[in-house]
Amino acid sequence: MSAVLQALPSAVEVRPLSAHIGAEIHGVDLSRPLPPDQVAAIRAALLEWKVVFFRDQPLSHAQHVAFARQFGEPTIGHPVFGYEDNHPEIYSVGRNRKQVRFSGPALVRPWSGWHTDVTAAVNPPAASILRGVTIPPYSGDTQWTNLEVAYRELSAPLRGFVDGLRGLHRFAAPQGSTASSLFDDKVKRRPLLTEHPLVRVHPETGEKSLLVSPTFLQSIVGLAPRESQVLLELLFEHAIRPEFTVRFKWEPGSIAFWDNRATAHLAPQDIFATEFDRQLYRVTLGGVPPVGPDGRASVALEGDPITAARAEQD
């Protein structure tokens, strides 16, 4: 798409940020119900650009959830790690949430930390909506990558090979680190292990994308351990090539809304080199089990599907 600025219904403006992924949307007020043409315009921009951003939208928890409901059914905040009191749809993304789960120096590789949300479940969220509240003056940017472009940029023989493969996704401590008793207890209470296709077909657009979530994807079914390791490392490295990505600088009141079926993202690590606080909140929209090019859907090996927030019983 060559236009720098796209004019869409009801004064909605979509401003692309990179060649393959990411656009800012202006001209909407997310604190109120949106007219149908604005909902349609945002949905179209999301499918086109994979992640869309809004500025100056200081929403409450209730407004955040109400905005999300216009695009799908919110899930429970997190199927393993819970949700905010009195707001079952809201998951807290705070500065130190992972530091209380793991200890010790993890093995750091170029793809460390990149992930697609909750792929350990058989039905990962269709989309995620993250709201910035307490934002540091610098550091703390988030990055996303377009996994449809990553798939298309593989060589034809490799695309043909990965089209038929499947991988195992689970929650586990990063290699080299030790899980805390809190992490172990929560994972044991609600274990999740799923076999997903390595390539999924988008249920709305029909496009193929890599379903490679480095944080959760542990191995490839049917390959020898070394074969699995080498192929996964190649795919992880390829999926996060800089030209496939966009980087977003948060401000208070910023919203990021991404298609979890076609992206992976990276939470910032540089925040831990500062003393700044950072607090965001996430709502996820219910998804369906991914389906591969061969028509086979994902299979839950342990655990239940992610439920809608209103159906959750703790």
Side-chain angles (χ1 to χ4, degrees), residues 265-286:
H265 59 281
L266 177 66
Q269 295 299 308
D270 62 340
I271 187 67
F272 302 111
T274 76
E275 298 299 322
F276 301 133
D277 193 12
R278 183 178 185 271
Q279 178 65 58
L280 301 93
Y281 295 96
R282 190 191 74 187
V283 174
T284 50
L285 301 179

Side-chain angles (χ1 to χ4, degrees), residues 147-170:
L147 295 177
E148 288 182 2
V149 170
Y151 173 79
R152 291 199 299 267
E153 289 298 313
L154 292 173
S155 66
L158 187 51
R159 287 198 305 270
F161 181 50
V162 299
D163 274 351
L165 297 179
R166 297 170 72 84
L168 297 179
H169 297 240
R170 72 166 76 235

Side-chain angles (χ1 to χ4, degrees), residues 3 7 33 58 64 90-91 94 102 120 130 137 170 175 182 203 214 219 222 238 251 253 258 274 280 295 300-301 308:
H64 189 173
I90 300 284
Y91 178 55
F102 312 115
L130 189 62
R170 72 166 76 235
Q175 189 173 350
L182 172 68
S219 62
H238 172 79
E251 298 171 351
W258 66 93
T274 76
L280 301 93
L301 302 180

Side-chain angles (χ1 to χ4, degrees), residues 73-291:
E73 183 68 44
T75 71
I76 196 68
H78 195 287
V80 174
F81 300 116
Y83 48 86
E84 287 290 281
D85 290 344
N86 303 315
H87 295 281
E89 308 92 344
I90 300 284
Y91 178 55
S92 172
V93 180
R95 170 192 165 103
N96 294 317
R97 66 191 173 99
K98 290 190 176 180
Q99 277 55 48
V100 301
R101 298 177 189 167
F102 312 115
S103 62
L107 176 62
V108 177
R109 293 164 292 190
W111 52 85
S112 294
W114 282 92
H115 65 286
T116 298
D117 281 334
V118 204
T119 59
V122 70
N123 59 333
S128 298
I129 304 171
L130 189 62
R131 167 173 55 103
V133 176
T134 303
I135 303 299
Y138 55 86
S139 77
D141 300 354
T142 306
Q143 298 176 68
W144 285 262
T145 191
N146 184 335
L147 295 177
E148 288 182 2
V149 170
Y151 173 79
R152 291 199 299 267
E153 289 298 313
L154 292 173
S155 66
L158 187 51
R159 287 198 305 270
F161 181 50
V162 299
D163 274 351
L165 297 179
R166 297 170 72 84
L168 297 179
H169 297 240
R170 72 166 76 235
F171 284 104
Q175 189 173 350
S177 67
T178 301
S180 69
S181 58
L182 172 68
F183 178 87
D184 278 341
D185 288 346
K186 287 185 175 291
V187 170
K188 287 176 182 176
R189 284 179 59 205
R190 295 181 177 177
L192 291 174
L193 173 64
T194 295
E195 180 187 297
H196 288 301
L198 220 59
V199 175
R200 73 173 297 171
V201 179
H202 197 288
E204 292 187 62
T205 67
E207 294 290 329
K208 294 180 183 179
S209 66
L210 291 175
L211 207 176
V212 291
S213 181
T215 297
F216 302 121
L217 177 52
Q218 305 291 305
S219 62
I220 299 175
V221 176
L223 298 192
R226 180 60 176 158
E227 293 171 341
S228 174
Q229 177 191 21
V230 170
L231 181 56
L232 285 180
E233 289 184 353
L234 183 153
L235 293 174
F236 293 160
E237 181 182 83
H238 172 79
I240 62 168
R241 279 169 46 179
E243 63 267 35
F244 304 157
T245 69
V246 67
R247 182 172 183 142
F248 184 63
K249 184 167 290 298
W250 290 94
E251 298 171 351
S254 294
I255 306 284
F257 183 1
W258 66 93
D259 188 339
N260 200 54
R261 302 162 296 187
T263 62
H265 59 281
L266 177 66
Q269 295 299 308
D270 62 340
I271 187 67
F272 302 111
T274 76
E275 298 299 322
F276 301 133
D277 193 12
R278 183 178 185 271
Q279 178 65 58
L280 301 93
Y281 295 96
R282 190 191 74 187
V283 174
T284 50
L285 301 179
V288 297
V291 174

